[in-house]
Amino acid sequence: MALPVPPPGVELRALGPARGAEVDGLDLRRPIAPAVAAWLREALQCHHFLCVRGQVLDEEQQVAAAACFGPLETFPERQKTRARPTFYNVANVAPEGGTMAPDDPRLVAQKLNELWHTDSYYRFVPSRCSLLLAIEALPGEAEGGETEFSNMFLAYEALPDATRRRIEALHMVHDYGFDQRLFPALPPLDPAVREAFPPASHPRVRVHPDRGGRRSLFMTANTGAEVSGLGLEEGRALHAVLVRHVSQPGFCLRHRWRAGDLMVWDNRCLLHRGRPYDATRFRRVARRTTVAGDGPGAGPR
């Protein structure tokens, strides 16, 4: 795929073989011209994730930036939203101010983000992409707090032929309610949320709708390892192998956040995970918007 030419005054720097790019020179506080929105979509398709530096956006401006990529998902979960249900607050600072206690359910729930996952894996229609804005980033002396990405195109293509054949027709059950089994300190799942998000089954091998039929893995590590067609122990063993596989450095890129970074990534071909940090010492505030997918996870054709 030919790399898109940036708009005047905008610089794009590719980051490495696992893809990804940094973007400088955009000011998304201003109305986004259709040509710039089209370039952002094309750049994301080429690079899988973009780090747009130096963005100081209010909520309306972030919604406008996210709308360049499609309609937004809403979050019915109270612990994820402020007044606007299209935002997920990835923060250890409560909306009313003050650092959250370590046992605050809103902070405990974010521990799930430290496992490989793709956003909205638990929905019948998984998301297209996510946009996460760093409002307060960790200081330079803080350890951890980065976000890692793993390229599922590369991970799938590096699998042994026998493993690719084995997983070709398999589906994985993605259960939002599994969170409570991983972290018993979480409160019970709200019945309304349970009703909104029943367990969903998605293929282990996904065909990317915008990449000419290119295949990738589709999986998460923060849900159960139930695999249709396999016994529980066999499914768990296969899942553990794949989690180790996608963690290899050759597939991965680690991003160290700065305040004003707006990260955009394609959930259809990337996994991500946050690295742990000392949430009792350092403040971190980020705000995520998520763009809805436009069809069920497509399996092999």
Side-chain angles (χ1 to χ4, degrees):
M1 178 180 292
L3 299 179
V5 177
V10 176
E11 181 182 1
L12 182 146
R13 295 182 298 279
L15 296 176
R19 292 301 182 98
E22 291 183 345
V23 178
D24 277 318
L26 274 182
D27 184 353
L28 297 177
R29 293 173 299 179
R30 302 171 180 172
I32 301 169
V36 173
W39 176 81
L40 283 168
R41 291 191 294 270
E42 189 177 2
L44 182 64
Q45 187 172 332
C46 287
H47 294 281
H48 314 321
F49 82 85
L50 307 173
C51 177
V52 187
R53 299 283 195 186
Q55 303 304 304
V56 182
L57 308 179
D58 62 24
E59 292 185 353
E60 295 290 347
Q61 291 161 342
Q62 185 171 344
V63 166
C68 291
F69 300 93
L72 302 189
E73 292 182 347
T74 59
F75 302 105
E77 307 96 313
R78 289 190 295 269
Q79 79 274 16
K80 289 187 175 181
T81 61
R82 293 176 65 183
R84 187 187 295 268
T86 49
F87 285 117
Y88 174 20
N89 295 295
V90 186
N92 65 341
V93 178
E96 59 272 15
T99 303
M100 297 177 188
D103 59 351
D104 189 306
R106 293 169 294 183
L107 192 56
V108 174
Q110 292 180 48
K111 299 295 289 182
L112 290 160
N113 296 336
E114 296 174 7
L115 304 173
W116 286 120
H117 66 286
T118 179
D119 292 331
S120 300
Y121 60 89
Y122 50 84
R123 295 177 186 249
F124 175 66
V125 180
S127 67
R128 172 184 292 269
C129 62
S130 297
L131 295 88
L132 183 62
L133 175 66
I135 298 168
E136 293 185 46
L138 299 181
E141 69 270 20
E143 294 184 1
E146 305 93 346
T147 299
E148 288 186 311
F149 295 88
S150 181
N151 185 319
M152 292 296 96
F153 289 134
L154 300 182
Y156 174 76
E157 291 159 2
L159 285 169
D161 289 344
T163 303
R164 287 205 298 269
R165 289 193 298 269
R166 184 185 182 197
I167 67 175
E168 185 79 359
L170 296 179
H171 281 58
M172 180 179 179
V173 178
H174 299 261
D175 185 357
Y176 195 26
F178 189 76
D179 296 0
Q180 280 70 27
R181 284 184 274 171
L182 284 175
F183 294 97
L186 286 172
L189 196 63
D190 187 308
V193 175
R194 172 80 284 176
E195 183 176 356
F197 303 125
S201 175
H202 296 303
R204 280 283 195 173
V205 179
R206 188 172 188 182
V207 178
H208 198 289
D210 298 332
R211 297 304 297 269
R214 191 177 182 188
R215 285 168 162 75
S216 70
L217 285 174
F218 188 76
M219 55 179 286
T220 64
N222 61 355
T223 188
E226 291 87 353
V227 178
S228 60
L230 298 181
L232 183 58
E233 293 307 316
E234 185 181 5
R236 286 174 173 170
L238 173 62
H239 186 62
V241 168
L242 293 176
V243 169
R244 289 194 297 270
H245 177 72
V246 303
S247 303
Q248 295 180 70
F251 310 140
C252 298
L253 184 68
R254 181 176 292 192
H255 177 72
R256 180 75 178 183
W257 291 90
R258 305 177 197 166
D261 284 352
L262 177 66
M263 182 69 79
V264 189
W265 65 86
D266 189 337
N267 280 308
R268 299 168 298 178
C269 61
L270 296 182
L271 295 181
H272 64 282
R273 64 181 178 183
R275 305 304 297 159
Y277 69 100
D278 188 346
T280 64
R281 290 185 58 201
F282 303 110
R283 290 169 56 100
R284 185 176 71 167
V285 179
R287 190 172 61 212
R288 195 187 91 204
T289 43
T290 310
V291 177
D294 53 9
R301 293 193 291 236

